[in-house]
Each structure stands twice: as C-alpha cells, then as structure tokens.
C-alpha cells in the first residue's frame, strides 16, 4: 500500500510472519506471548535481584543488569508488534515504524554484542589480575564501558538506517519475516542496493568480529590462568565464575552464525524466520535461566527476593 502525502510517498510494508494459516495464528500468538512474558519477567527479576542485594553490587552483576535491560529492549522492539498484528489480523507496518524497528534492533543487538565482550573483559581481569581487580574495575570505569558500548552501537546502526532511507520501493512490499529485518527490507528495494549490502556485510563483520576477537582473547587468557592453578577445586571455582557467561556467549554467537548461514544460503523463508527467531528471541529468554540456575550467588539472592528467606552470602 502506498499513499501520497504532499507528494511524499508513505509506504506500508506487510509483515508476512511465520505463516498465513488462520488455524495456526492462535498457537503462534500464544507461543510468542509466552516467550515475551517469560523474557520480560525473567530479566526484570535479574535486575531487581541485583539492585536489592548489596552482595551483588559488583562489576559482573552491574554488567549483567545492563544485559538484562538490553534483552528486554530487543524483545520489546519486535514481539509486541507481531502480537498486535496477529490479534488485529492486520499485517501492515508503516514505513517510519519499519525503519525505527530496524534501527532499534541494530542498536540493542549490537549493544548485547558489546556487553558480552565487556563481561568477558571483566572476567579476564577478575581471574588473571585478581589483586588489582577492584582498582581496575571501579564504578566509573564500568559505567564508561557501558556508555562506550552504547555509543559504538548507535554509531554502527546509524549508517545502516540512513542508507535504508535512500532506497526506493516498488509494488512488492511483503517482508517475509515477523519484524523488519535489514536484509529483508533491502531485498524489497527496486533501486541499486549494492552499497547497502556491502555496508551491511562489511559493517556487521567488523563490528561483531572485534567483539568476538576480544572475547576469544579474554577466554584464552582465562583458560591459561586457570590451568596454572595447582588444585582441582581452585580451577573449578575459577571457571565457575565465568561458566554462565561462556554459555550465554555460545548461545548468542551460535544462533548468530545460524542466521548468517541461512541468509547466505538460499532457502525457504520459514527457515530464515526460524533462524532469526533463534537469534533475536530465544537467547533473550534463556539468559535469565542460565545465570540464575548456574550461578550460586544469583540463585540464593533470587530465592531470598522471592521467599524472604535470608541469603547465605
């Protein structure tokens, strides 16, 4: 659908979603509503637990709170619009809303990428330089790292969003997805998209590559330091402090790799949607469970918050 307002084209895209089968719509609505509520409640509990327990006022949990907030923002950017579309049986999304969704997905997705690298750096300092950890990871430094991550992700997302604005669109405005994904929107354009694809692939590779290299370097140093610990119990204790983070990193980059491979290889739109869902929806829901179930401090503080029983910390 295209309207003309003061000779300026105003587009409305159509989000196809997972399926157009009306019999499956209630099931999909219930599934995504459950995922969204679990994501919001789980991450809010993490943030509330960290803020209410003074024992958790450390750099590691400060970064975890920011990660939980980012997970909430990513989910809120994509899932509610899909739920509204299913409920109203109206798959349209405005041009402005689509570009805004692209921008926020890039910003918060990039911010999660940076925060995981920052958390790896935090574990590197804690394990490899324990005597100077409190000096290096002071409050000002921690806040600066989060702000720097936000600035970097915003700067990275801005060119992609601006380049979308220069694209022209023809009659085919159906997006084979449940949200406005950058690659899918670019494919709909009837203008030259070479620069957009080059920017998307090059920018994403560099931005994600730097963070991933930082994480790999941090864990290389961490593993090297752990292996030098003489006692088995000491090694286990040291690795347990970063085990949850390692699982989250594996989940985030593993699903991200799946999205990249599915977009590179031609396949059905359903497979591309499922792979993107595994990247943009599932990790955000599972992160609170990973940190609460595998982390003893978080588990005890969460129990204290929910039951009122005194913490053993």
């Amino acid at each position: 659908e295209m309207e003309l307002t003061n000779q300026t084209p105003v587009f409305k895209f159509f989000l196809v979603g997972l399926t157009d089968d009306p019999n499956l719509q209630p099931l999909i609505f219930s599934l995504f509503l459950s995922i969204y509520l679990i994501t919001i409640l789980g991450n809010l509990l993490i943030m509330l637990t960290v803020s209410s327990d003074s024992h958790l006022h450390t750099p590691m949990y400060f970064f975890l709170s920011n990660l939980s907030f980012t997970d909430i923002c990513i989910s809120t950017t994509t899932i509610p619009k899909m739920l509204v579309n299913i409920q109203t049986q109206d798959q349209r999304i405005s041009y402005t809303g689509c570009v805004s969704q692209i921008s926020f997905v890039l910003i918060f997705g990039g911010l999660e990428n940076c925060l995981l690298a920052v958390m790896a750096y935090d574990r590197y300092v804690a394990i490899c330089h324990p005597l100077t950890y409190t000096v290096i990871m002071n409050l000002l430094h921690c806040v600066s790292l989060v702000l720097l991550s936000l600035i970097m992700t915003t700067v990275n997302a801005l060119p992609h969003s601006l380049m979308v604005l220069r694209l022209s669109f023809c009659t085919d405005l159906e997006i084979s997805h449940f949200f406005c994904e950058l690659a899918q929107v670019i494919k709909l354009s009837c203008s030259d998209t070479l620069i957009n694809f080059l920017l998307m692939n090059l920018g994403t590779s560099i931005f994600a590559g730097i963070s991933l290299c930082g994480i790999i370097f941090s864990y290389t140093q961490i593993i090297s330091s752990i292996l030098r610990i003489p006692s088995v119990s000491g090694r286990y204790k040291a690795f347990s402090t970063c085990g949850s983070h390692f699982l989250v990193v594996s989940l985030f980059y593993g699903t991200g790799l799946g999205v990249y491979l599915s977009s590179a290889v031609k396949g059905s739109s359903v497979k591309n949607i499922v792979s993107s869902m595994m990247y943009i929806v599932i990790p955000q829901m599972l992160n609170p469970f990973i940190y609460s179930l595998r982390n003893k401090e978080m588990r005890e503080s969460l129990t204290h918050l929910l039951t009122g029983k005194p913490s053993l910390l």
Side-chain angles (χ1 to χ4, degrees), residues 9-252:
V10 179
F11 299 99
K12 287 189 177 180
F13 295 98
F14 291 84
L15 297 172
V16 176
L18 289 172
T19 178
D20 56 0
D21 187 349
N23 295 324
L24 293 177
Q25 294 298 328
L27 176 62
I28 294 174
F29 180 86
S30 301
L31 174 64
F32 274 84
L33 179 61
S34 301
I35 291 174
Y36 182 64
L37 291 177
I38 292 172
T39 301
I40 298 299
L41 292 175
N43 285 288
L44 279 177
L45 274 176
I46 293 289
M47 295 171 63
L48 186 60
T49 302
V50 172
S51 63
S52 62
D53 194 332
S54 59
H55 294 96
L56 301 182
H57 293 174
T58 61
M60 182 175 75
Y61 294 108
F62 171 75
F63 295 132
L64 177 59
S65 294
N66 283 276
L67 182 68
S68 295
F69 177 74
T70 304
D71 287 341
I72 290 174
C73 292
I74 293 177
S75 299
T76 303
T77 300
T78 56
I79 298 180
K81 177 59 179 173
M82 178 187 182
L83 295 176
V84 170
N85 286 352
I86 294 175
Q87 189 67 22
T88 60
Q89 297 297 310
D90 184 0
Q91 304 303 106
R92 294 177 298 177
I93 182 172
S94 67
Y95 176 77
T96 303
C98 190
V99 174
S100 299
Q101 199 173 64
I102 290 173
S103 301
F104 284 120
V105 167
L106 289 173
I107 289 173
F108 293 121
L111 182 57
E112 179 156 1
N113 179 62
C114 287
L115 286 175
L116 289 175
V118 169
M119 293 172 76
Y121 169 71
D122 170 70
R123 292 298 83 205
Y124 158 73
V125 177
I127 294 174
C128 300
H129 305 280
L131 298 180
T132 57
Y133 175 70
T134 55
V135 177
I136 297 175
M137 301 303 294
N138 57 70
L139 180 59
L140 179 60
H141 190 202
C142 293
V143 173
S144 300
L145 287 173
V146 173
L147 290 177
L148 179 62
S149 298
L150 180 59
I151 293 172
M152 288 175 59
T153 55
T154 304
V155 171
N156 175 66
L158 188 60
H160 297 289
S161 303
L162 293 177
M163 289 300 290
V164 169
L165 295 176
R166 60 175 284 277
L167 296 177
S168 300
F169 296 92
C170 301
T171 55
D172 184 13
L173 299 177
E174 286 191 356
I175 300 175
S176 301
H177 225 299
F178 65 91
F179 70 97
C180 286
E181 187 185 44
L182 178 62
Q184 296 294 327
V185 174
I186 293 176
K187 288 178 182 178
L188 293 180
S189 175
C190 53
S191 57
D192 185 15
T193 58
L194 177 61
I195 298 177
N196 293 79
F197 276 112
L198 286 175
L199 179 64
M200 182 181 66
N201 292 321
L202 184 62
T204 303
S205 300
I206 294 175
F207 186 75
I210 292 175
S211 299
L212 184 58
C213 287
I215 292 172
I216 292 174
F217 171 79
S218 297
Y219 272 101
T220 301
Q221 298 299 312
I222 288 171
I223 293 172
S224 177
S225 296
I226 290 177
L227 291 178
R228 289 198 296 267
I229 299 176
S231 65
V232 176
S233 60
R235 292 179 185 178
Y236 176 79
K237 183 178 180 180
F239 187 75
S240 64
T241 62
C242 56
S244 298
H245 177 261
F246 182 78
L247 283 177
V248 170
V249 168
S250 301
L251 179 64
F252 182 80

